[in-house]
Structure formats: structure tokens, C-alpha cells
Amino acid sequence: MNDRYVVRVEKMEQVTPTIKAFTLSSNTATLEQFGAGAHLTLHLPMGNRQYSLINNPLDMKNEYKIAVKNLGSEQGGSRYLHEQLEVGDIIEVSGPDNYFPVHLEAQHYLFFAAGIGITPFLSMMSYLSTLGKTFELHYAAPHVENCPFHEEITNKYSKQAYVYLGSREEKRKKLKEALRNRKVGTHVYMCGPKSFMEMLNDSTKELHFPQRVVHEERFRPALVIRDPKPFCVSVNGKDLVFVKENESLLERLRNEGYSIPYACRMGICGSCEVTLCEGEVLHSDSFLTEQEKKSKMLSCVSRGVGDIAIDVEQDGSEK
Amino acid sequence: MSNSSKEFPFPFTKDSYAYSNNSILLDPARSVAVSSHYIEEVKLKRNLLNQNHERCFRALPLSLEAQWEVLLLVFKELSTCEPQYFTLEQRGNAYQFTNHLLREVESFSFKDSSSIEVEPLDLAGRHVQEDLIIMGDRHDGLFLEAGQLCFPSNWSLTFVLGMEFKAIHTPVPGITDNRFIEKVERFITRIRPNSAWERKNWSVTITNKLDTPLETYSDWGKLRYNVTEANAGELVNLRVEVQRLYRLPVTNDILFSIHTYLLPLNELISNDEWLKKFYTNVKTLPKEIADYKGISLYKRELMTFLERALTQRKIER
Ligand code: HEM
Ligand code: FES
């Protein structure tokens, strides 16, 4: 996967009054392939922003397409993209990466989208159509004018797409109805605002969907600690260890004689895990689950804030 | 030094051996490599495939998309990284792959099964030295869904087809201790699109036989009884598998490639550092791992041979 590279804005299209689509390309580099549900990270003056790729992965002609809703906030990335960016501009990006892959073992797909949450499903629907797999889209929006890609979707997927406009209560009822009486092997994918996702998650639980067939974009990208600070660690309730700003907890512990195993030193393999007993931690790995982060940390990348207490195994086994 | 020595991916970095996640990120991402044994090993693979196709190639229907993705990935990589040996031309959906080392041309239409005679993974594998395995990244785990496997170290593709990652590893001693294999699985599921990780695994083979599947154990397993202190240098080979894990960007599945290298001990011991490291690692190898790798049967003879070499070369133990 490419770390950071530049692309050129080839094209901009106004999709709705608040949504613009951008086509990004390169004359010099071959852009990497991506899967349905993948996203691109844009490095903007105000920080990094992730946007789903909306083109068909099987019909990628050295270009990436994204759609961005202008959220309007003064310092916002979306406002910058809408108001500052012009065709021909160069922007720095990384990826594509995919936290929302479409699982080919599904017998049937139910997609639930609200508003700009439609974007990952655009690549999924065109991909699955090419493969001849069956799916349905259940799409909620306040009005037709605020329903991005409404026309394209209803034309292209007239048999698969259900659009819900009406009142909130009515939408809820219909969305829930759409989940009922599904065959084994149906997978549910959802993307939208928090309340929308919660409502759907509750309904899938109520209807006893196995939670492993219910998908949302779960993994947030790993937090990058830009300006590491020193911190103090109490180890196994006795030793006190001081980690300087320019070293990792793993390095410090190994230098102190603790034989902590390690491999990737990038927060990916989980080898360097230690038990967290007390204190606040900036987790910078992409391995632990949210639940595990409460009681564990990966010593190669994550750092304490102020004072923390940890336990490490003493036997020095490499497993 | 022979080519085999020069190319040999010596696996030991420490003085003692324990299972660990010794994977490193490959930059640039690669899935295969071409060594000086390319032609003979590819011919050997093809013979094995022709004679025992059921044993060497298996695929579930679900793997077909990933198989096509692998075919194109491997052919693109070969033509980009080794342009003197391979070229790939594309016209719309039609591809022509030329293997200049074997003087062969493969023409096919992408994702058109009627345009090729074997399954896509089987075709890709006939142009590389690696064994190629596709691990499907499913909602309930990582499953072995397709493989072209000619050079396994005592395992059977037929047996593991459709099996989940952790289940595949149950024969390995201590593999679940400290949640080791569970962590490895999670590590694999976190590999990012278009990235590749590489690790080395090692074992010992008697004779320079690359194809040691479980199915023919009765033929090659008994050779372990023949090792003596006098013939160990010739008979015993250190076997190293360079394994790569490559996240396929489109299907989101994992390509697992295994490139197997063999080096007879007579060549290995001409490198002092290697001799010493190999000796200390085998000497301190936990009994259950030595048993699992099949070394216990001739460990005494092997140790005597290595100790004699150390003495001759005046290396401290
Ligand atoms: C995802 C692709 C992988 C596949 C298909 C695979 C498959 C296998 C198989 C079939 C065996 C032999 C089991 C037997 O005796 O029946 C094995 C052994 C083993 N595997 Fe894996 N494996 C994979 C990845 C990994 C990774 C990433 C690691 C570690 C980071 C690992 C660690 C091991 C170890 C330590 C052994 C024992 C090897 C020995 O002592 O010779 N495997 N694997
Ligand atoms: S060493 Fe891999 S996660 Fe820390």
C-alpha cells in the first residue's frame, strides 16, 4: 500500500446542492487497485480526511472517485474541498485502504444507507452487479434534493433500490420491516449517522441476526501520535520506569531487561502486548479491539499519558 | 560459493529458536521471486501437477474471483519486476503473457474461464517456483479456499481445503500458548490492501527432495533412519520456506505464497556464522518442536556431525 503520493483533480461535479464528486488521477503513476467499500485518505491543510471510493473496482481506469458533503464548518476539510479546490490542483493522498470490505460468501446483501452514507454502497453495488450477485439498497434521505445520486441509483438499480423519504417515524418502521424474514446467508451492511446505525443495530439484534453478518465501518484508522511526550510507568507493582519522548515503551522495557517479544514494531502484530492496570493511554495500534484497549496496550506504539501502571510477563517466552 | 548458498535465506537470527511472528513488511510489496533454480523447479512442479493433479491443486468455487485476481497480480508483478524474463501485454480484456525463460506464451481473456485450460491459480502457479495458497477472509475467519501445492513440508492440501486458519495449525506443538496463533490470525486480517509481509519458516529434509507431501510420507519419511554422522553433510538439507502474505485489494482475500529453498549441510557449514547458529538452534530446540519437525530420529548423528565441523573450523561452541 502506498504511504503518501500525489494525485491531480481531473473533474468536479455538483451532485446535490451540498455534495460534490471529485475525480482524482495521475499522469505519472499507476494508481493501485481497490475493493468495494474501500476509502482514500486525503492529506489536507486541516488534517487527514477519509472518503469512500465510489467507482467500480472492476472498471478502474487509473482514477479514483470520491463524493464529499460540505459540512460547512469554518476549518472543515469538506468545506476546503468544496470551496478551495479547483480542477488541475494537486493533493496528497494515501491508501486506498478498506475497513468495509464486501464479503463474497454472502448469499444476498442488504445495504442500509442514509444521506452521504450512500458512498461505500456505490462501489459495492456496481461491483456486485458485475459479479451477478443479488442485493437490495434501502436508502433514507430527508428529500429528493438531499438524496445524493438519487437519479443514478433509481435508474441503474430500479429493481434493487428502495428510497425512503417521508417522516422519521415512518422511515424507521419501513427500514425495520426491510430486515424481517431474511434467509440464512443474508449479510447486512450499514452506513449513515450514529442514530441511524444504532436503530438498525438494535433491530438486527431484536431479529436475532448473527452479529458477524452485520457490518459497519468498525476500525477507525490508527491514531498517529505526532508529538510524543515522556511518561512514567510502574511495572509489576514495583519497578518505576521513565520513557523519554524519543523512545517507545517497548524499547525502554527491553533496555531495562524485560524480555518483551516483538515483531512488527508498527502496532499490527500484537506481539508486544502488555497488561494495562492503571492510567490513561494513547492507543496508536491497529490490532486491539476497543474492549481490549481497556486492559491492554501494545508497547511498540502506544504511550501513557502522565503516569501509568502495567504488568508484564517475566518468563521471557517468545510466544 | 554456489548459487544455492548465495541465494539461501538463512533463517536464524538468534541463538535459540521459538515460534514467533517473525513477519516483516515488504517494500515494495512482492508475492513471488525468481531464483537460479527457476527452470528445473518449475518443470518439477509441472510434472507433479500432471501426475498428481488432485493432490497438488484444489479449489472451492468461492475462490474463483480471488484466483483471477492472483493470476493477474502474479503476471503483472513478474513482467514489471523481471522484464528480461517475462512480458505482459494487454488489449482491453485480452492478455498475453510471455515467459521468455520457458519460451511460452499464455493468452487469455480476464475472468473468462473458457479462455484457459486450467483454473486461474493453477495457471499462475505453473509460471512460478512458489506454492500458492488463497486464504479467504470471511466474516467468521480465514479459510483455505484454494491452493496449488507441490512442495509441502509434510502436510496435505486435500486435508486442509476449506479449513479455518487456527484449525489448520492444530498439529503444531504449543501453537495456542499465549494465544499465539489467534494473534497471528488477527495480524493477517489487519494486513492492508496491496501490502505484503514476509516470514521464514524452517525444517530439515533428508535428501534434496522438494516434494514431501503427507501423501507420500511412506516414501520419504523412512530416509530419516539413514542419517549417519558420515553422510549427514550430503543427506541432510536445511529447508527454508520464505512465506509471503499479500492482501489482494479487490477481493480482500490473502495470497499466501511459499518459496522453498534447500541447502545441503556440506554447503551450510562452509559459512562459519551459519554453522554456529544452526548448531546452537538445533541443540537447544525444545523436544516437542524437534519431534514435530522430524529431527529427533537423527538428532544425535546430526549434532556429532556439526560438532566435528565446528572443531575442524576451530569455532567455539
Ligand atoms: C495464512 C497462511 C498460512 C497457512 C495456509 C499456513 C499453513 C500451515 C500448515 C499447513 C502448517 C503445517 C501444519 C501441519 O503440520 O499439519 C503450518 C505450520 C506452521 N505455521 Fe502456518 N500457515 C499460514 C501462516 C502462518 C503464519 C503467518 C505464521 C506465523 C506468524 C504461521 C506459523 C506456523 C508455525 C510456527 C508452524 C510450524 C512450523 C514448523 O515448525 O515447521 N503460519 N502452517
Ligand atoms: S511489535 Fe507488533 S504490535 Fe508491537
Side-chain angles (χ1 to χ4, degrees):
Chain A
M1 198 191 73
N2 272 332
D3 253 3
R4 262 177 188 234
Y5 55 101
V6 293
V7 290
R8 208 180 88 100
V9 180
E10 291 296 324
K11 209 163 121 188
M12 299 196 314
E13 293 154 274
Q14 197 77 42
V15 179
T16 72
T18 56
I19 292 168
K20 264 188 187 170
F22 299 83
T23 304
L24 311 169
S25 182
S26 172
N27 302 330
T28 48
T30 307
L31 299 182
E32 283 182 339
Q33 286 197 281
F34 64 94
H39 66 265
L40 196 67
T41 301
L42 273 57
H43 301 273
L44 304 176
M46 54 289 299
N48 299 348
R49 299 288 185 277
Q50 268 96 24
Y51 298 102
S52 297
L53 293 169
I54 62 173
N55 32 342
N56 184 347
L58 292 175
D59 190 25
M60 201 280 246
K61 304 218 162 58
N62 213 46
E63 57 183 36
Y64 293 140
K65 270 190 180 183
I66 57 171
V68 180
K69 178 172 178 170
N70 189 351
L71 301 170
S73 84
E74 200 69 49
Q75 303 298 320
S78 62
R79 179 154 173 189
Y80 172 85
L81 290 172
H82 271 256
E83 295 173 11
Q84 307 286 316
L85 215 59
E86 283 173 31
V87 168
D89 283 355
I90 298 289
I91 41 176
E92 208 181 12
V93 297
S94 54
D97 203 345
N98 199 344
Y99 300 145
F100 205 30
V102 42
H103 289 276
L104 287 184
E105 68 271 27
Q107 301 297 318
H108 184 63
Y109 301 82
L110 288 180
F111 298 141
F112 290 91
I116 190 66
I118 187 67
T119 53
F121 301 121
L122 295 174
S123 65
M124 290 188 192
M125 290 191 295
S126 47
Y127 178 62
L128 294 175
S129 300
T130 314
L131 298 189
K133 308 256 315 177
T134 63
F135 59 86
E136 285 164 39
L137 170 71
H138 298 270
Y139 185 13
H143 330 273
V144 179
E145 308 84 76
N146 282 331
C147 186
F149 304 99
H150 178 266
E151 202 181 304
E152 180 186 329
I153 288 169
T154 43
N155 284 338
K156 235 168 123 179
Y157 306 112
S158 59
K159 293 214 177 64
Q160 298 102 322
Y162 302 83
V163 179
Y164 306 100
L165 298 165
S167 79
R168 228 186 149 81
E169 266 324 295
E170 209 177 318
K171 271 189 282 199
R172 272 174 184 264
K173 232 178 80 196
K174 284 188 177 156
L175 289 168
K176 209 169 155 176
E177 211 45 52
L179 280 166
R180 273 185 209 285
N181 296 322
R182 292 301 176 169
K183 292 212 172 87
V184 170
T186 302
H187 282 228
V188 178
Y189 287 74
M190 53 177 94
C191 186
K194 210 168 162 217
S195 58
F196 176 79
M197 309 275 269
E198 275 169 8
M199 184 274 287
L200 285 165
N201 262 319
D202 290 348
S203 306
T204 58
K205 281 186 191 133
E206 231 173 86
L207 295 166
H208 303 289
F209 273 82
Q211 286 308 293
R212 306 201 77 148
V213 303
V214 180
H215 310 276
E216 53 185 292
E217 263 186 289
R218 274 204 194 94
F219 315 128
R220 299 285 146 249
L223 164 85
V224 182
I225 301 176
R226 291 209 180 280
D227 143 45
K229 302 230 162 38
F231 58 102
C232 214
V233 189
S234 140
V235 186
N236 295 346
K238 36 186 214 284
D239 304 352
L240 214 54
V241 169
F242 186 72
V243 185
K244 288 189 285 220
E245 65 274 9
N246 59 356
E247 63 183 357
S248 67
L249 173 58
L250 175 68
E251 282 172 279
R252 186 73 262 145
L253 290 171
R254 289 188 65 96
N255 285 339
E256 300 286 333
Y258 295 97
S259 51
I260 316 261
Y262 66 92
C264 69
R265 281 176 292 170
M266 291 168 69
I268 300 173
C269 71
S271 303
C272 65
E273 172 186 295
V274 299
T275 306
L276 176 65
C277 309
E278 223 181 290
E280 188 189 334
V281 167
L282 285 175
H283 290 280
S284 180
D285 64 277
S286 38
F287 181 84
L288 296 176
T289 61
E290 288 310 311
Q291 189 59 31
E292 287 170 334
K293 282 178 184 169
K294 292 175 189 161
S295 61
K296 288 174 183 155
M297 70 185 284
L298 297 185
S299 58
C300 63
V301 291
S302 298
R303 307 182 67 85
V305 183
D307 296 350
I308 61 168
I310 62 169
D311 276 350
V312 306
E313 276 179 41
Q314 294 286 52
D315 66 10
S317 116
E318 288 282 325
K319 284 178 195 164
Chain B
M1 235 209 289
S2 73
N3 276 335
S4 307
S5 275
K6 263 186 272 172
E7 290 170 346
F8 193 70
F10 190 73
F12 302 104
T13 50
K14 297 182 186 150
D15 287 330
S16 67
Y17 182 75
Y19 290 142
S20 69
N21 186 344
N22 51 345
S23 309
I24 52 161
L25 184 64
L26 276 184
D27 184 20
R30 291 279 316 254
S31 61
V32 294
V34 176
S35 85
S36 62
H37 297 282
Y38 178 85
I39 293 178
E40 64 192 78
E41 288 182 11
V42 168
K43 287 199 168 148
L44 173 59
K45 271 184 91 171
R46 300 224 188 145
N47 281 340
L48 291 163
L49 282 158
N50 292 341
Q51 283 158 17
N52 310 282
H53 195 255
E54 285 259 287
R55 187 179 88 207
C56 301
F57 183 83
R58 291 277 172 147
L60 301 178
L62 183 54
S63 68
L64 197 59
E65 283 300 310
Q67 287 196 47
W68 278 110
E69 194 174 1
V70 168
L71 176 67
L72 213 49
L73 175 88
V74 167
F75 282 1
K76 274 187 184 159
E77 183 183 316
L78 287 173
S79 65
T80 316
C81 301
E82 320 281 350
Q84 70 279 36
Y85 302 142
F86 309 95
T87 41
L88 181 68
E89 283 163 79
Q90 176 186 9
R91 215 170 274 138
N93 205 34
Y95 288 85
Q96 192 171 70
F97 174 74
T98 311
N99 183 330
H100 302 286
L101 287 169
L102 298 173
R103 297 170 197 273
E104 286 176 351
V105 177
E106 305 280 4
S107 301
F108 61 93
S109 309
F110 188 55
K111 302 225 295 176
D112 175 358
S113 291
S114 71
S115 70
I116 52 177
E117 278 165 26
V118 292
E119 289 193 49
L121 183 69
D122 199 359
L123 180 59
R126 287 169 197 248
H127 290 275
V128 296
Q129 290 159 274
E130 282 78 4
D131 288 321
L132 302 175
I133 303 286
I134 291 174
M135 299 296 290
D137 195 337
R138 301 285 151 251
H139 69 287
D140 49 357
L142 270 181
F143 293 83
L144 197 152
E145 291 177 348
Q148 191 199 63
L149 184 75
C150 294
F151 304 149
S153 168
N154 201 15
W155 55 288
S156 155
L157 183 60
T158 307
F159 186 73
V160 296
L161 183 71
M163 257 161 81
E164 208 273 331
F165 182 78
K166 289 188 288 296
I168 292 172
H169 284 91
T170 40
V172 182
I175 201 83
T176 52
D177 296 359
N178 297 321
R179 297 171 26 243
F180 176 72
I181 203 66
E182 195 191 313
K183 284 187 182 176
V184 172
E185 178 166 35
R186 197 189 299 180
F187 157 73
I188 297 172
T189 64
R190 299 288 201 272
I191 294 177
R192 303 165 88 176
N194 301 302
S195 338
W197 290 73
E198 178 180 289
R199 69 181 290 266
K200 296 187 188 89
N201 185 45
W202 69 278
S203 192
V204 176
T205 305
I206 310 308
T207 77
N208 62 350
K209 194 171 166 60
L210 279 166
D211 52 312
T212 51
L214 190 57
E215 286 88 342
T216 61
Y217 181 80
S218 60
D219 297 335
W220 55 266
K222 60 188 177 208
L223 300 175
R224 289 171 175 167
Y225 289 102
N226 300 351
V227 180
T228 64
E229 183 200 326
N231 68 17
E234 240 175 278
L235 217 51
V236 178
N237 284 255
L238 174 58
R239 172 191 163 104
V240 175
E241 296 178 351
V242 174
Q243 307 177 337
R244 288 176 176 173
L245 296 153
Y246 195 114
R247 169 77 63 191
L248 301 171
V250 180
T251 48
N252 202 48
D253 290 337
I254 294 282
L255 169 63
F256 181 62
S257 71
I258 312 166
H259 193 134
T260 304
Y261 297 81
L262 289 175
L263 191 67
L265 290 197
N266 275 344
E267 288 194 42
L268 185 142
I269 61 172
S270 63
N271 179 324
D272 290 356
E273 182 61 27
W274 288 3
L275 167 58
K276 198 168 169 186
K277 279 247 150 60
F278 182 59
Y279 172 74
T280 53
N281 273 275
V282 177
K283 190 174 177 193
T284 58
L285 198 63
K287 168 129 194 336
E288 34 335 329
I289 299 187
D291 287 347
Y292 174 73
K293 290 184 190 278
I295 300 173
S296 299
L297 274 179
Y298 51 83
K299 184 164 172 189
R300 200 155 34 103
E301 290 77 6
L302 176 61
M303 285 291 106
T304 317
F305 169 82
L306 293 171
E307 280 160 10
R308 203 183 57 200
L310 285 163
T311 312
Q312 265 171 14
R313 303 179 73 93
K314 302 196 173 59
I315 304 172
E316 246 179 79
R317 284 187 215 158

mmCIF file of all heavy atoms in Angstrom, chain B residues 7 55 61 81 83 117 220 240 243 259 293 313:
data_model
loop_
_atom_site.group_PDB
_atom_site.id
_atom_site.type_symbol
_atom_site.label_atom_id
_atom_site.label_comp_id
_atom_site.label_asym_id
_atom_site.label_seq_id
_atom_site.Cartn_x
_atom_site.Cartn_y
_atom_site.Cartn_z
ATOM 1 N N GLU B 7 21.923 -17.526 -2.632
ATOM 2 C CA GLU B 7 20.507 -17.141 -2.577
ATOM 3 C C GLU B 7 19.822 -17.575 -1.293
ATOM 4 O O GLU B 7 18.679 -17.220 -1.047
ATOM 5 C CB GLU B 7 19.750 -17.814 -3.724
ATOM 6 C CG GLU B 7 20.091 -17.270 -5.065
ATOM 7 C CD GLU B 7 19.493 -18.139 -6.178
ATOM 8 O OE1 GLU B 7 19.056 -19.280 -5.898
ATOM 9 O OE2 GLU B 7 19.470 -17.661 -7.303
ATOM 10 N N ARG B 55 -3.820 -34.062 -5.941
ATOM 11 C CA ARG B 55 -3.033 -33.840 -4.737
ATOM 12 C C ARG B 55 -2.445 -32.427 -4.718
ATOM 13 O O ARG B 55 -2.291 -31.822 -3.668
ATOM 14 C CB ARG B 55 -1.889 -34.861 -4.688
ATOM 15 C CG ARG B 55 -1.099 -34.831 -3.402
ATOM 16 C CD ARG B 55 0.002 -35.884 -3.420
ATOM 17 N NE ARG B 55 1.214 -35.364 -4.011
ATOM 18 C CZ ARG B 55 2.131 -36.113 -4.623
ATOM 19 N NH1 ARG B 55 1.941 -37.417 -4.755
ATOM 20 N NH2 ARG B 55 3.212 -35.562 -5.118
ATOM 21 N N PRO B 61 -15.306 -23.313 -5.285
ATOM 22 C CA PRO B 61 -15.869 -22.362 -6.259
ATOM 23 C C PRO B 61 -15.794 -20.904 -5.783
ATOM 24 O O PRO B 61 -15.572 -19.992 -6.581
ATOM 25 C CB PRO B 61 -17.328 -22.814 -6.384
ATOM 26 C CG PRO B 61 -17.351 -24.230 -5.934
ATOM 27 C CD PRO B 61 -16.238 -24.401 -4.959
ATOM 28 N N CYS B 81 8.717 -6.597 -12.509
ATOM 29 C CA CYS B 81 9.942 -6.737 -11.721
ATOM 30 C C CYS B 81 11.029 -7.525 -12.438
ATOM 31 O O CYS B 81 12.204 -7.373 -12.117
ATOM 32 C CB CYS B 81 9.631 -7.394 -10.382
ATOM 33 S SG CYS B 81 8.432 -6.459 -9.427
ATOM 34 N N PRO B 83 11.481 -7.839 -16.127
ATOM 35 C CA PRO B 83 11.085 -7.628 -17.535
ATOM 36 C C PRO B 83 11.986 -8.363 -18.525
ATOM 37 O O PRO B 83 11.575 -8.603 -19.662
ATOM 38 C CB PRO B 83 11.195 -6.101 -17.701
ATOM 39 C CG PRO B 83 12.077 -5.638 -16.608
ATOM 40 C CD PRO B 83 11.920 -6.599 -15.476
ATOM 41 N N GLU B 117 -7.183 -23.360 -19.888
ATOM 42 C CA GLU B 117 -7.453 -24.794 -19.769
ATOM 43 C C GLU B 117 -7.491 -25.286 -18.334
ATOM 44 O O GLU B 117 -8.070 -26.324 -18.041
ATOM 45 C CB GLU B 117 -6.400 -25.583 -20.547
ATOM 46 C CG GLU B 117 -6.739 -25.652 -22.017
ATOM 47 C CD GLU B 117 -5.569 -26.106 -22.860
ATOM 48 O OE1 GLU B 117 -4.694 -26.809 -22.330
ATOM 49 O OE2 GLU B 117 -5.557 -25.728 -24.048
ATOM 50 N N TRP B 220 9.348 -40.983 1.649
ATOM 51 C CA TRP B 220 10.492 -40.148 2.041
ATOM 52 C C TRP B 220 10.754 -40.113 3.547
ATOM 53 O O TRP B 220 11.859 -39.836 3.983
ATOM 54 C CB TRP B 220 10.334 -38.728 1.484
ATOM 55 C CG TRP B 220 9.043 -38.033 1.869
ATOM 56 C CD1 TRP B 220 7.880 -37.999 1.150
ATOM 57 C CD2 TRP B 220 8.790 -37.303 3.070
ATOM 58 N NE1 TRP B 220 6.910 -37.290 1.825
ATOM 59 C CE2 TRP B 220 7.444 -36.851 3.011
ATOM 60 C CE3 TRP B 220 9.553 -36.982 4.192
ATOM 61 C CZ2 TRP B 220 6.857 -36.101 4.039
ATOM 62 C CZ3 TRP B 220 8.974 -36.231 5.213
ATOM 63 C CH2 TRP B 220 7.640 -35.803 5.118
ATOM 64 N N VAL B 240 14.227 -24.101 4.038
ATOM 65 C CA VAL B 240 13.650 -22.831 4.472
ATOM 66 C C VAL B 240 12.515 -22.440 3.544
ATOM 67 O O VAL B 240 12.644 -22.502 2.316
ATOM 68 C CB VAL B 240 14.713 -21.709 4.513
ATOM 69 C CG1 VAL B 240 14.069 -20.368 4.855
ATOM 70 C CG2 VAL B 240 15.791 -22.042 5.527
ATOM 71 N N GLN B 243 7.811 -17.286 3.234
ATOM 72 C CA GLN B 243 6.354 -17.205 3.093
ATOM 73 C C GLN B 243 5.937 -15.750 2.988
ATOM 74 O O GLN B 243 6.406 -14.916 3.743
ATOM 75 C CB GLN B 243 5.686 -17.828 4.318
ATOM 76 C CG GLN B 243 6.169 -19.232 4.619
ATOM 77 C CD GLN B 243 5.548 -19.799 5.887
ATOM 78 O OE1 GLN B 243 5.099 -19.048 6.763
ATOM 79 N NE2 GLN B 243 5.519 -21.119 5.988
ATOM 80 N N HIS B 259 7.933 -20.055 -0.943
ATOM 81 C CA HIS B 259 9.078 -20.379 -1.799
ATOM 82 C C HIS B 259 10.045 -21.216 -0.964
ATOM 83 O O HIS B 259 10.559 -20.756 0.046
ATOM 84 C CB HIS B 259 9.747 -19.088 -2.279
ATOM 85 C CG HIS B 259 10.727 -19.311 -3.397
ATOM 86 N ND1 HIS B 259 10.763 -18.526 -4.529
ATOM 87 C CD2 HIS B 259 11.708 -20.238 -3.563
ATOM 88 C CE1 HIS B 259 11.720 -18.959 -5.340
ATOM 89 N NE2 HIS B 259 12.314 -19.986 -4.775
ATOM 90 N N LYS B 293 9.200 -31.504 13.845
ATOM 91 C CA LYS B 293 9.936 -31.296 12.601
ATOM 92 C C LYS B 293 10.639 -32.576 12.130
ATOM 93 O O LYS B 293 11.295 -32.571 11.088
ATOM 94 C CB LYS B 293 10.976 -30.185 12.785
ATOM 95 C CG LYS B 293 10.371 -28.780 12.935
ATOM 96 C CD LYS B 293 11.472 -27.734 13.024
ATOM 97 C CE LYS B 293 10.964 -26.359 13.417
ATOM 98 N NZ LYS B 293 10.408 -25.569 12.304
ATOM 99 N N ARG B 313 36.799 -26.390 12.073
ATOM 100 C CA ARG B 313 36.927 -24.984 11.664
ATOM 101 C C ARG B 313 37.330 -24.102 12.838
ATOM 102 O O ARG B 313 37.287 -22.886 12.742
ATOM 103 C CB ARG B 313 35.612 -24.510 11.039
ATOM 104 C CG ARG B 313 35.224 -25.390 9.855
ATOM 105 C CD ARG B 313 33.911 -24.946 9.256
ATOM 106 N NE ARG B 313 34.091 -23.695 8.521
ATOM 107 C CZ ARG B 313 34.345 -23.626 7.230
ATOM 108 N NH1 ARG B 313 34.465 -24.735 6.526
ATOM 109 N NH2 ARG B 313 34.489 -22.468 6.647
#
